[in-house]
Amino acid sequence: MIEKIRMFPLMAYLAFTSFVSGLKDDLKNDERGLSGVVVAVMLILVAILAVVLIWQFLGEAIEGWWEQITESSPDFTSPPPT
């Protein structure tokens, strides 16, 4: 019994390393690719990230430009005649 307990770590290591190498080979040879749903979700996330980054970098400039446009033309901010 003591011999089996002493060999347990070695057997566990050998079992785990053969499992990992088999898993690595399975993942390397998998040619299924990504599903359409995953690609669509990733594209939506990238688009949202792009909008947030553009707004963060250009938000103040766009607000300044908008103020210049509305202040330069009084007709732009006044309501249309009825």
Side-chain angles (χ1 to χ4, degrees):
M1 180 70 169
I2 300 285
E3 185 65 26
K4 287 184 179 181
I5 293 173
R6 190 176 63 82
M7 293 297 290
F8 179 74
L10 177 63
M11 292 299 181
Y13 173 76
L14 292 175
F16 182 75
T17 55
S18 67
F19 170 75
V20 170
S21 67
L23 181 64
K24 184 174 129 181
D25 291 337
D26 289 344
L27 290 176
K28 190 185 291 185
N29 296 329
D30 187 15
E31 296 179 0
R32 289 182 292 175
L34 295 174
S35 69
V37 175
V38 173
V39 172
V41 169
M42 290 176 70
L43 286 174
I44 290 170
L45 290 175
V46 167
I48 291 172
L49 179 65
V51 168
V52 167
L53 287 175
I54 289 172
W55 186 256
Q56 184 174 354
F57 290 125
L58 296 178
E60 293 178 13
I62 292 172
E63 288 176 8
W65 296 335
W66 182 254
E67 288 177 10
Q68 287 178 353
I69 291 170
T70 55
E71 289 173 359
S72 66
S73 175
D75 294 334
F76 188 77
T77 56
S78 62
T82 57

